[in-house]
Amino acid sequence: MQPAVIAHQVHQLRTTFAQGKTRDLNWRLTQLHQLKLMLIEQEGEFLAGLKSDLGKSEQEAWTSEIGFLVSDIKHSIKHLKTWTKARKVATPLFVQPGKSYLLPEPLGTVLIIGAWNYPLQLVLAPLVAAIAAGNCAVLKPSELSVKTAELLAQYISQYLDPTAYCVISGAVAETTELLKQRFDHILYTGGEGVGKIVMHAAADHLTPVTLELGGKCPCIVDSTTDLNVSAARIAWSKWMNAGQTCVAPDYVIVEQAFLNSFVAALKHKLSEFYQADVSQSVDYGRIVNARHFSRLSHYLEEQDIILGGKTEAESNYIEPTIVLNPSADSPVMQEEIFGPILIILTVENIKQAIEIINSKPKPLALYLYTKNSEFEQQVLSQTSAGSVGINDGMMFMANPNLPFGGVGNSGMGAYHGKFGFDTFSHLKTVMKRSFMFDVALRYPPFNAAKLKMLKRLL
Ligand code: NAD
């Protein structure tokens, strides 16, 4: 797409915002209903697109993308009126009589840049929040999930008001061009490297950013846990979408004495979920492209593979694989895996897990499986992570009352539900004073008596 076309599109959205129609509550609700309608009416097309891009099974694609979004939209529609209301706060005695409140107002025209692994959810969930908050938005889906990006470009303009929302298709050149434009907020989902590029470009316009990044998510499995349920939940959260999930466990820490029973339980769950030959299962996904297939295959070189390990370049298939105790300086231990390879690290005492986790950048998600509440408290108080899942994987994502975002290297800012509405709003401070009781203490000429009185009041 030509730079002039991109600049023109953004200019058109800014004009729409300035005209004020996105501020109207009913107009926002109409757009949210339309977005829901798009997902319902075009469900078949989107499911086929996700199958083509990532080999996603129908159930997985529906629950983690379409169903997730429909429920997010319903939640926003239900609560929108309350979220937009003035939020009253107390007013101190020395500014009485008066009222104080926060008035949410839309930021303006925002940019949403998505990643390829949940190509629908990662573009549309921020859009739900942006619409709810009354903004115009430019969507930039990832070029790697080709089919889904095409469908978004086709249907967003058909279902939503095209003067307020548009999709810019393309790759690095188009994103680079977009980043030259002035936006009122940028929400970026993707890797750390591009996150820095986005933040750098945003700085030129003093544009605030929300960065939804990734990293290595640790998972501690204490031997007191319910082994059967924990293995099922770890296998589900790790091998969903062939491990291409930002909050999937990257490495598991277990006590050496617990290793064999833990691996046996995982193996059992895998064969229950995906049958003996995983490549034949319609429920198991594929790696997004040849570049990522090759990156992941290299991780397996010279490693102690204790489960799986088969790869098939023609179909970008990598079997669910477990690597035991890779060296700290190996690429698989240095980089975020973002694929179906699970690392297991063994320790003598499970409390050593805290030290291992704290030696690495703060993760997006941390998981703990245990029945020991004292250890649970220790992990919560001695580690940091964007989100913590205790005794389950990723389910915190399904609660719209919880914010989703990283900390440190895993990102900044958060969204989902009301937190998304707040991300795309400015909470404007308002104080309204009465004309009565205009006490002269603050006015010149100053004197010792006035100062003494003020010191007592403040
Ligand atoms: P990606 O390659 O799809 O890139 C993301 C976006 O950045 C795309 O829209 C792309 O067009 C754009 N982009 C790429 N290179 C660019 C450049 N040089 N300049 C400007 N824009 C550019 O996705 P990715 O980076 O491979 O995503 C994987 C990462 O995203 C992983 O680290 C994963 O953990 C993280 N992730 C995080 C979340 C979350 O919600 N926190 C969700 C999914 C993925």
Side-chain angles (χ1 to χ4, degrees), residues 14 39 53 57 98 117 135 145 251 283 330 342 371 439:
R14 297 193 78 83
L39 291 164
D53 288 334
S57 71
N117 57 331
N135 298 277
S145 37
Y251 62 98
D283 296 327
S330 59
L342 181 68
K371 286 185 183 167
V439 183

Side-chain angles (χ1 to χ4, degrees), residues 55-68:
K56 286 195 193 201
S57 71
E58 186 176 326
Q59 181 167 334
E60 203 178 284
W62 193 87
T63 47
S64 64
E65 306 240 31
I66 297 172
F68 177 93

Side-chain angles (χ1 to χ4, degrees), residues 20-32:
K21 74 170 155 186
T22 64
R23 291 173 181 263
D24 181 72
L25 197 59
N26 287 328
W27 188 90
R28 300 186 207 181
L29 287 168
T30 305
Q31 298 304 309
L32 289 172

